[in-house]
Amino acid sequence: MTVIILTNCPAGLRGFLTRWLLEISPGVFLGSPSARVRDILWNEVRTYSGQGRALLAHTTDNEQGFTFRTHDHAWHPTDHEGLTLLHRPAPPAQRHTGGTPPPPNQTPEQGWSKAAKRRRFGR
């Protein structure tokens, strides 16, 4: 099984991939080509993706049962004790707006209950 995900790539590349893979959603291609065809398709994607980015995931004989490759993507595959994981770079320093706990030097905003402060900020 092979999955190729394209983001912001030329329409011609999407049309090229539909010769061998099924486009199940815009920019998401799925199929079972041979390893040789898969490598040729990936080389074409890397060559003609322009300003876009791409991700290839395919089955293989390893612990996870699959592997993946990226092209012009901020997240990069890294090996961690035999498992391939995606390394996501740290975001640039910015003001906390919610969703994740704030940095340790930032205090909770006014209006938080004591229970919410303990749960969210660990104090």
Side-chain angles (χ1 to χ4, degrees):
M1 180 64 64
T2 299
V3 178
I4 296 178
I5 301 172
L6 303 178
T7 305
N8 196 24
C9 289
L13 179 59
R14 290 175 56 189
F16 173 78
L17 288 175
T18 57
R19 295 179 190 173
W20 292 276
L21 303 171
L22 185 64
E23 188 171 15
I24 59 173
S25 184
V28 180
F29 298 87
L30 182 67
S32 296
S34 67
R36 181 178 177 189
V37 171
R38 179 187 67 228
D39 291 339
I40 292 170
L41 290 174
W42 183 243
N43 286 335
E44 294 295 317
V45 166
R46 289 177 41 205
T47 302
Y48 297 109
S49 62
Q51 297 295 322
R53 62 183 187 200
L55 181 111
L56 166 72
H58 61 89
T59 56
T60 188
D61 294 330
N62 64 9
E63 291 282 329
Q64 290 175 296
F66 65 91
T67 189
F68 45 87
R69 304 177 206 169
T70 62
H71 175 67
D72 284 347
H73 206 280
W75 298 5
H76 298 285
T78 57
D79 187 296
H80 180 72
E81 297 182 2
L83 294 177
T84 304
L85 304 173
L86 279 175
H87 178 261
R88 183 171 44 176
Q94 53 183 321
R95 183 177 176 273
H96 175 68
T97 58
T100 59
N105 60 354
Q106 189 174 356
T107 58
E109 300 169 7
Q110 293 292 334
W112 290 73
S113 70
K114 290 181 182 179
K117 287 179 189 177
R118 272 189 238 110
R119 185 176 2 149
R120 184 168 176 116
F121 301 102
R123 296 181 185 155

